[in-house]
Amino acid sequence: MTYTKYSASGNDFVIFHTFIEKDFSQLAVKLCNRTEGIGADGLVVLVPSSDADFKWLFYNSDGSDAAMCGNASRAVAHYAYNNNLAPSSLKFLTGAGIIESRVEENIVESQLTAPVVVKEPFSQFGLTWFLVDTGVPHLVTIVDDLDIYDHKMSSTMRHEHNANVNYAKVVDGKVYVRTYERGVEGETLACGTGMAACFLRAHDLGLVDDIAFVYPKSKEELTLSNKNGTIYFKGAVKKVFTTDI
Ligand SMILES: N[C@H](CCC[C@H](N)C(=O)O)C(=O)O
């Protein structure tokens, strides 16, 4: 089978396409393993769809499935276009609904699903948290120092609220984010729906404009836009290698 490795701002994925839709969760664990597999934060499988250019199956590296993944949506759009599976402006079906993406060379922009506030701001561990679903659930806290990020605290919050955990710092209208990702069970170099959740929270607080640069742990520059309540997420993706195993 031919597998392709992508990096989307440091959030990395193994991607392949097949006609057969089945449970690939154990394959995800095997392929995402960073010592004995290809190594990635997640596995994306493209399968045929009668309602869109294709349907995807998304798995975190622990084999859990997730409805949506912002960075993988950008990588998979680039993969589909460059493998002649879809045009450069495409639609695909995810667990969170239809996602529209547009590919321009190595820059891909995805329209995210409508955000849903799950819980109004609350305090825990001496921080104020906001819980919003941007395709998957995200906890967001706005901090002055990203070194506040703590694995144990993040793991506790992740399991108590069944959500990804994001820490955001805003400086001069730009957002800097660190994310503990559910299903990876650790900090990733970028988390797209997490960056979108942080952008939303900062925008609600009047800290950023309708368009803002957002920088994850990898320090790559991404653009988040709020166009009449619809969130767009744009940035570079990189096809790292293809392998037959
Ligand atoms: N780990 C997430 C899914 C991937 C989200 C992230 N990689 C992104 O780019 O949005 C979850 O289980 O909710």
Side-chain angles (χ1 to χ4, degrees), residues 57-77:
L57 307 173
F58 178 86
Y59 301 90
N60 288 303
S61 56
D62 70 353
S64 61
D65 63 277
M68 180 44 189
C69 176
N71 283 317
S73 76
R74 298 189 295 112
V76 84

Side-chain angles (χ1 to χ4, degrees), residues 11 13 58 60 66 68-72 136 164 181-182 191-194:
N11 208 188
F13 307 98
F58 178 86
N60 288 303
M68 180 44 189
C69 176
N71 283 317
V136 287
N164 303 275
E181 267 203 55
R182 180 179 72 169
C191 176
T193 49

Side-chain angles (χ1 to χ4, degrees), residues 19-62:
F19 286 103
I20 307 149
E21 179 172 345
K22 63 176 188 175
D23 178 357
F24 292 102
S25 56
Q26 288 315 304
L27 181 63
V29 174
K30 180 176 173 229
L31 294 176
C32 292
N33 186 301
R34 293 196 184 278
T35 50
E36 298 179 3
I38 294 172
D41 292 328
L43 168 67
V44 189
V45 186
L46 286 71
V47 295
S49 168
S50 54
D51 303 318
D53 292 304
F54 56 88
K55 172 183 174 183
W56 90 354
L57 307 173
F58 178 86
Y59 301 90
N60 288 303
S61 56
D62 70 353

Side-chain angles (χ1 to χ4, degrees), residues 32-244:
C32 292
N33 186 301
R34 293 196 184 278
T35 50
E36 298 179 3
I38 294 172
D41 292 328
L43 168 67
V44 189
V45 186
L46 286 71
V47 295
S49 168
S50 54
D51 303 318
D53 292 304
F54 56 88
K55 172 183 174 183
W56 90 354
L57 307 173
F58 178 86
Y59 301 90
N60 288 303
S61 56
D62 70 353
S64 61
D65 63 277
M68 180 44 189
C69 176
N71 283 317
S73 76
R74 298 189 295 112
V76 84
H78 188 275
Y79 174 92
Y81 174 57
N82 286 280
N83 283 278
N84 301 310
L85 300 172
S88 58
S89 290
L90 55 106
K91 293 181 182 179
F92 60 97
L93 183 59
T94 73
I98 293 281
I99 296 293
E100 296 184 38
S101 298
R102 189 163 44 86
V103 182
E104 288 184 13
E105 296 187 0
N106 72 322
I107 304 295
V108 185
E109 182 174 59
S110 290
Q111 175 183 332
L112 302 183
T113 52
V116 178
V117 175
V118 177
K119 192 171 181 179
E120 290 303 328
F122 63 97
S123 287
Q124 196 164 348
F125 288 110
L127 298 169
T128 300
W129 299 91
F130 171 67
L131 181 53
V132 62
D133 188 306
T134 49
V136 287
H138 284 275
L139 287 159
V140 175
T141 185
I142 305 287
V143 296
D144 295 327
D145 182 354
L146 287 174
D147 286 343
I148 283 177
Y149 179 99
D150 173 80
H151 179 82
K152 191 168 179 348
M153 172 170 65
S154 300
S155 179
T156 301
M157 293 298 286
R158 172 263 180 273
H159 286 97
E160 190 168 314
H161 301 277
N162 189 25
N164 303 275
V165 186
N166 300 269
Y167 305 74
K169 177 180 179 180
V170 186
V171 179
D172 300 333
K174 296 178 180 178
V175 189
Y176 301 81
V177 177
R178 293 184 71 175
T179 305
Y180 175 105
E181 267 203 55
R182 180 179 72 169
V184 178
E185 302 312 330
E187 184 173 16
T188 56
L189 291 177
C191 176
T193 49
M195 284 187 265
C198 294
F199 165 70
L200 263 175
R201 180 63 174 152
H203 189 266
D204 290 349
L205 295 171
L207 301 174
V208 298
D209 294 332
D210 286 346
I211 300 179
F213 290 132
V214 182
Y215 302 87
K217 177 85 172 175
S218 67
K219 296 185 173 36
E220 287 200 23
E221 183 176 275
L222 292 129
T223 306
L224 266 294
S225 310
N226 182 337
K227 298 172 188 170
N228 304 316
T230 300
I231 308 299
Y232 294 83
F233 174 50
K234 182 168 73 173
V237 297
K238 182 178 181 183
K239 174 183 169 184
V240 183
F241 61 78
T242 293
T243 181
D244 285 303

